[in-house]
């Protein structure tokens, strides 16, 4: 247990596995981290602060995995990320952002679309609250943080199950 959150597991969707032409996918992937929280942790900003403080948040998403003492999160320095940088968005906007990111692939294979429906869109639909990390300025990007062409981060809060989901859709 870390900051009131308990890591329950991860799901990784690698587009390369499903695309007929690996050059088409742009090394796209979705990383999903599931954490549980207690019922008394109801405030969204408190949940975001707990997530940012959790060791699972210390992932550069560049192949190194979670580093408990890490200083990076995705393309950003960890110290640059605060709960106030996450904007609350609706399900429709979240789906549109993800679909706009997936759409350039055209003709998404059936197995990949099924994975996205089950692991991404179903979680978005079940969320009571959805937070989206705004693109941070150049000063927040760490020394090799530009390896990601696109980096979309959502935090999904499902109060009925007591789960918070950190969903990152990116390409590199």
């Amino acid at each position: 247990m870390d900051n009131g959150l308990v890591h329950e597991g991860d799901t990784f969707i690698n587009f390369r596995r499903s695309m007929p032409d690996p050059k088409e996918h742009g090394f796209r992937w979705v990383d999903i981290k599931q954490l549980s929280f207690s019922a008394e942790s109801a405030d969204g900003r408190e949940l975001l602060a707990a997530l940012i403080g959790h060791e699972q948040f210390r992932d550069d998403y560049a192949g190194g995995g979670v580093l408990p003492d890490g200083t990076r999160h995705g393309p950003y320095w960890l110290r640059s990320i605060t709960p106030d940088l996450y904007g609350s968005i609706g399900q429709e906007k979240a789906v549109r952002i993800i679909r706009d990111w997936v759409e350039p692939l055209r003709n998404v294979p059936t197995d990949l679309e099924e994975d996205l429906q089950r692991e991404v869109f179903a979680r978005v639909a079940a969320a009571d609250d959805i937070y989206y990390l705004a693109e941070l300025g150049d000063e927040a990007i760490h020394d090799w943080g530009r390896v990601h062409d696109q980096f979309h981060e959502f935090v999904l809060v499902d109060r009925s199950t007591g789960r918070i989901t950190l969903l990152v859709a990116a390409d590199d």
Side-chain angles (χ1 to χ4, degrees), residues 54-75:
H54 197 282
E55 77 173 18
Q56 288 296 313
F57 199 76
R58 293 176 184 89
D59 191 333
D60 57 33
Y61 298 101
V66 173
L67 300 173
D69 296 323
T71 58
R72 294 173 181 89
H73 174 76

Side-chain angles (χ1 to χ4, degrees), residues 89-159:
I89 64 172
Q91 292 175 350
E92 187 176 308
K93 184 172 183 180
V95 168
R96 187 172 56 249
I97 291 167
I98 297 165
R99 281 284 173 209
D100 287 348
W101 174 73
V102 171
E103 247 352 92
L105 297 178
R106 302 170 300 280
N107 305 325
V108 174
T110 303
D111 62 332
L112 177 58
E113 183 61 35
E114 288 171 355
D115 287 347
L116 292 171
Q117 286 297 327
R118 182 182 60 258
E119 301 295 343
V120 176
F121 297 115
R123 293 177 201 271
V124 169
D128 298 303
D129 300 306
I130 302 171
Y131 299 97
Y132 183 66
L133 181 63
E135 187 171 326
L136 307 183
D138 287 340
E139 66 282 350
I141 296 175
H142 65 72
D143 48 349
W144 47 267
R146 297 212 186 272
V147 298
H148 301 290
D149 293 329
Q150 293 187 51
F151 185 85
H152 300 284
E153 180 173 317
F154 303 85
V155 176
L156 313 173
V157 178
D158 183 342
R159 294 186 194 310

Side-chain angles (χ1 to χ4, degrees), residues 7-79:
H7 180 241
E8 294 184 329
D10 305 315
T11 301
F12 187 77
I13 301 171
N14 186 345
F15 284 37
R16 181 180 210 161
R17 172 182 59 82
S18 299
M19 297 306 292
D21 179 0
K23 290 179 244 161
E24 247 186 88
H25 68 80
F27 296 99
R28 288 174 190 247
W29 46 264
V30 179
D31 187 278
I32 302 164
K33 297 180 190 314
Q34 288 271 143
L35 299 101
S36 63
F37 63 90
S38 61
E40 62 270 6
S41 302
D43 177 74
R45 295 292 163 200
E46 289 175 10
L47 286 171
L48 287 168
L51 178 63
I52 293 166
H54 197 282
E55 77 173 18
Q56 288 296 313
F57 199 76
R58 293 176 184 89
D59 191 333
D60 57 33
Y61 298 101
V66 173
L67 300 173
D69 296 323
T71 58
R72 294 173 181 89
H73 174 76
Y76 305 116
W77 290 112
L78 182 63
R79 67 179 178 263

